[in-house]
Amino acid sequence: MRVLATGVDGYIGAVLGPRLLERGFDVVGVDSGFYRDGWLYNHFGPRPLTLTKDVRRLTRKDVEGFDAVVHLAELSNDPLGELNERTTYAINHIGSVDLARLCKEGGVPRFVYTSSCSVYGAADDGQERDELSTPNPQTAYARCKVLVEHDVGALADAYFSPVFLRNATAFGASPRMRFDIVLNNLAGFAWTTNEIRMTSDGTPWRPLVHVEDICQAVILALEAPREAVHNQVFNVGDDDQNYRVRDIANIVGEVFDGCVITFGRPTGDNRSYRTSFGKIRRHLPDFRCRWPAELGAQQLREVFERAAMTKEMFLCRSFTRLEQLKHLLSTHQIDSEFFWHAIEEQGRDRPSA
């Protein structure tokens, strides 16, 4: 199977690309290159040949001949989505739907889209949300996910099968590391300061899923019979991995010896939801989450030790999506629509006005 993977140089993509190759897929990557400054550690094994191109500028010719497209390339969290809502919608909603249309027109039979459990938003009523629950998105990022699911789902027909993977909050080690997601962030503070200072009381619920388990879900969605996944939405995670944020902090604190944990007061952030993950097990029976939070925290500790991670490395803008995009904007490397600026070559003859 020939697979085009967008966002292959991102946090999930840097793990997914090698996993697809190991599984025997013929993989080509596409990535804008925004986050290539951040590379925490090296891993052995092949990585896909990758085209540096904004997905908004892909053409039908770019997707023709592929058996599937895995679409990861979006602005990737709530704070980043709020930085510039107009551009967020242009990339995450319009850009993703346009890519799906290109795939349909280009004869790509399967389109795997990485959505998010954040679509459930404010749902702290004690009830678990499943795929039939009404979304309640609280941010531009989550609202775009709902819109893409709706609009791309409408494209489904006998020749084009979209699959929507609503990932729980990701965690775990990736060479293209992110420290702006909850467990990774807490582990970084525990390693570099031996302290976790929570600014909130930690009562909101968050389902977690390890990046390796997300990759497993993507692979199974690619390999599954059409009737098992055609135009289906799947929550990706495990019922046992619904945690309160304070529980995540305590798990991390136990792994990082001597770490002191303090909690703050309730905040105005009302994002809180528990999620049911039974459907993916029914449709993709081989799917299992093999990485609980405890094991993921231990993995991070080993990676931090191997990389000799310092506080400066942990706080580096390259590992926080919002800070890296602010840097590219402030240094005029990208414009307000997040397209790369062309750089004139020194000494090149320029046409007269």
Side-chain angles (χ1 to χ4, degrees), residues 55-273:
V55 294
R56 292 170 288 175
R57 289 178 167 161
L58 290 177
T59 67
R60 177 171 168 172
K61 184 177 180 181
D62 289 323
V63 302
E64 287 178 342
F66 287 96
D67 301 298
V69 167
V70 178
H71 183 39
L72 298 164
E74 292 183 341
L75 301 180
S76 55
N77 64 3
D78 291 323
L80 185 54
E82 301 299 311
L83 177 65
N84 182 331
E85 280 203 28
R86 184 178 61 82
T87 301
T88 296
Y89 278 89
I91 296 172
N92 288 19
H93 175 214
I94 303 303
S96 294
V97 175
D98 286 348
L99 175 60
R101 288 199 183 100
L102 280 179
C103 291
K104 182 174 180 175
E105 294 167 3
V108 180
R110 189 161 297 187
F111 185 83
V112 179
Y113 175 70
T114 51
S115 188
S116 169
C117 285
S118 66
V119 300
Y120 301 118
D124 196 11
D125 56 7
Q127 301 297 313
E128 289 187 345
R129 265 47 184 182
D130 64 18
E131 292 82 355
L132 297 178
S133 300
T134 302
N136 187 20
Q138 302 295 298
T139 62
Y141 169 79
R143 287 190 290 272
C144 285
K145 295 295 189 186
V146 175
L147 290 169
V148 173
E149 289 181 12
H150 176 271
D151 293 351
V152 175
L155 300 175
D157 61 18
Y159 305 99
F160 180 68
S161 287
V163 187
F164 306 98
L165 302 179
R166 287 180 181 169
N167 298 322
T169 300
F171 71 97
S174 166
R176 193 76 66 190
M177 196 61 188
R178 284 184 60 185
F179 287 123
D180 51 5
I181 42 184
V182 58
L183 191 147
N184 294 0
N185 179 263
L186 298 177
F189 275 111
W191 173 259
T192 58
T193 69
N194 214 32
E195 188 174 11
I196 296 175
R197 292 186 179 182
M198 298 288 296
T199 57
S200 72
D201 63 353
T203 57
W205 287 93
R206 290 286 188 279
L208 297 183
V209 63
H210 194 280
V211 63
E212 293 281 2
D213 291 326
I214 293 174
C215 294
Q216 179 199 173
V218 170
I219 290 169
L220 292 174
L222 290 169
E223 295 178 338
R226 183 179 186 276
E227 60 271 16
V229 297
H230 174 70
N231 209 18
Q232 293 290 323
V233 176
F234 299 104
N235 293 334
V236 179
D238 189 281
D239 290 344
D240 292 335
Q241 294 192 51
N242 283 292
Y243 301 96
R244 290 193 185 273
V245 174
R246 66 184 305 118
D247 297 328
I248 301 171
N250 287 326
I251 289 169
V252 171
E254 290 177 3
V255 170
F256 291 81
D257 300 333
C259 181
V260 177
I261 305 171
T262 57
F263 295 95
R265 296 181 177 182
T267 67
D269 186 351
N270 61 353
R271 292 172 300 157
S272 180
Y273 48 89

